[in-house]
Amino acid sequence: MTDFTKENKELYDAMVAYKVPGITAAVEGARKAGMSATQIIDGLSAGMTQVGVLFERGKLFLPHVLSAAAGMKQAMTILDPELKASGETTAKKASVVMGTVEGDVHDIGKSICSTMLQCAGFDVHDMGRDVPKQTFIDEVKKGCTFCGMSALMTTTMTVQRDVISMLKDAGLRDKVVVMVGGAPVTQAYADKIGADVYGDSASETVAKVKDL
Amino acid sequence: MAANEYYTRMGDGKRVLMTKDQILADIQAGSADAADMGGIQALDDNDVEALLEIVCDRNRTVGVEPGKEVPLTYDIGQLDFTGDNGNSGNGVDMGRLEAALLHERALGADTFELAHSDYSIKPVKPVISMEMQTMEEIQNEIVIPYFYGAMPNMGLYYAPDGPYGNPADLMREFKIEEAMDQAEKSAQALARDIEYVATKIYDAGADGFNFDTTGAAGDADAVGTFNGVEKLRKACPNAYINVGMAGESVMGIHGSIEYDGQVVAGLYPHQQCKLAQKAGANVFGAVVNTSCSKSMAWNLARAVTFVKACTAVSGIPVHVNMGMGVGGIPMFETAPIDAVTRCSKAMVEIAKVDGV
């Protein structure tokens, strides 16, 4: 079995350096060395996880995370023909509706979480900020099996509870994993309102969801 | 409650019982987190011991020794009374004059400020002449220094509230360069508006200006504010200018925008204070946000560690922000008095702040 330690490190380092040209160069180098598309994606994903950690520690910032995500997207475009030819699958893990609840315009944490979920292979429907309650319900009806709600104010965190009630009323609660997060939200509050997943950070949320 | 347990709080205000060992472990962990994030010294053994004593005090409220009190300043103006509980207020309607005099004569405020209900620079522009009139009227009654207060709140310059593209939307489409460009343009507009609003209100008799939650919309918001303060300082050399921040770390929404040759994203209080001073501030308002999922002991130790590093290097007085969700105080609409007094005492005695 070929040892790709060097190439994996290059993929990882390129993602952490978050520059699109560097990421595509690392992908091309890995292909030349004989790595398969899925091996390359795994290498990039490890780097992306570290990007999330560095963001949460204040060492990287939002444009850097999104630049890394753009590099990941570019890498997928390069690898897509090989994936199709080899029959390897890049099927999305699940569809996720994400949004900051209505009345709340705090966007950043939710956007980071959306980006990290996308990089982890989820099909993310990011509805933005100030998202009406009914929009979450509609997206679940359309097939989303994960529903992520962010609230950054004590006055809007109650909307998370309202949406869970609406999911119950619509007979959809058992069909969807409800994730909640945001500065005033805690595990205790998530338990109280009947959410399935509480994320203290974007990387924690992704780690929990990947394990489901 | 067992003999070795103490009433304390979680970061969301929930009352919990913890043993002294648990509180000590949280103090050490909170301080270590600040030291790691900020690249600063953790609290030493003496500070940890003093903090443990404050948190574990059996009395409901605590305080500093007579003679060791520090100035008490207020932000958000009259809104702490007139705002509802979603605005950190009490829902008690009153005029701005009455609120100012109440703070001066009943609540022990050493400074106070006039504020517009939107409490942001941009919405004040069209009503500045009315704000000037009110400033003049209240200055005729009040004795303590009376400022004008507002948040730079650069988010109001982005779509859908303002003329510039919203970086959050642009970055979602991977238009990163465009997002940075729009942030830079918004920062320039903010600096212009700060100069306009603040010089007008200064002409009407304001003793100075309080910029509250600087950097709330990220690093460009902080740069716009610093540039605005620089303009204001030139226009009004004797104005008293307080620059209060939005958090312990400046969010990198732009990521590389600079003030005075320094990238602002990711700066911590001990670095922020130097830029505020350079811009022309008289007082720096250090802010450390509270984590709802951690205990008050963890949050307070973390906050004290950041602020102590700030007061150690600041060339201007540091007035730490103490209130809902900042300075170790739980994020709860009515800040619990046991937490408020413990956190304030720790900031004065351990972090050595000049004011609260």
Side-chain angles (χ1 to χ4, degrees), chain A residues 36 46 62 99 134 171 190-191 210:
Chain A
S36 72
L62 191 57
Q134 187 60 41
D191 294 341
K210 279 164 80 176

Side-chain angles (χ1 to χ4, degrees), chain A residues 145-156:
Chain A
T145 52
F146 287 78
C147 174
M149 293 179 281
S150 176
L152 270 290
M153 300 192 293
T154 54
T155 47
T156 57

Side-chain angles (χ1 to χ4, degrees), chain A residues 5 24 39 48 73 77 94 100 125 127 171 173 183 190-191 205:
Chain A
T5 304
T24 52
Q39 286 173 320
M48 192 65 205
K73 193 178 174 189
T77 305
T100 304
H125 301 203
M127 312 312 288
R173 182 65 189 89
D191 294 341
T205 305

Side-chain angles (χ1 to χ4, degrees), chain A residues 55-59 61-64 66-70 73 107-108 110-111 115 118 126-129 152-155 183-188 198 200, chain B residues 12 14 33 36-38 85-86 159-160 166 168-169 171-172 174 176 180 249-256 265-266 268 290-294 324 331 333:
Chain A
F55 172 78
E56 282 155 13
R57 299 305 294 173
K59 310 300 180 195
F61 306 108
L62 191 57
H64 308 148
L66 290 162
S67 182
K73 193 178 174 189
D107 209 30
I108 296 159
K110 179 269 305 162
S111 294
T115 302
Q118 276 174 334
D126 189 336
M127 312 312 288
R129 54 191 173 271
L152 270 290
M153 300 192 293
T154 54
T155 47
V185 179
T186 61
Q187 182 66 59
Y198 160 71
D200 191 46
Chain B
D12 63 354
K14 183 183 174 186
D33 187 74
D36 176 43
M37 293 200 76
N85 68 2
N166 194 313
D169 296 332
M171 282 194 278
R172 201 179 297 129
F174 299 116
I176 295 167
M180 293 163 92
S249 174
V250 180
M251 285 192 302
I253 304 299
H254 182 288
S256 55
Y268 287 94
T290 294
S291 168
C292 288
S293 297
K294 302 286 189 182
M324 175 186 172
M331 191 185 293
E333 286 84 351

Side-chain angles (χ1 to χ4, degrees), chain B residues 3 27 51 53 60 109 116 150 167 202 228 274 280 334:
Chain B
I27 287 173
L51 195 50
E53 196 175 313
R60 182 161 179 252
H116 181 258
Y202 190 68
K274 292 175 183 170
T334 305

Side-chain angles (χ1 to χ4, degrees), chain B residues 92-105:
Chain B
V92 181
D93 194 23
M94 66 178 69
R96 296 199 279 184
L97 170 63
E98 292 77 12
L101 297 181
L102 191 56
H103 279 85
E104 176 188 64
R105 298 172 189 184

Side-chain angles (χ1 to χ4, degrees), chain A residues 70-93:
Chain A
M72 186 84 170
K73 193 178 174 189
Q74 182 68 28
M76 295 305 293
T77 305
I78 295 168
L79 298 171
D80 196 47
E82 185 187 332
L83 284 165
K84 282 179 180 162
S86 66
E88 291 179 287
T89 178
T90 56
K92 296 292 181 186
K93 287 190 172 76

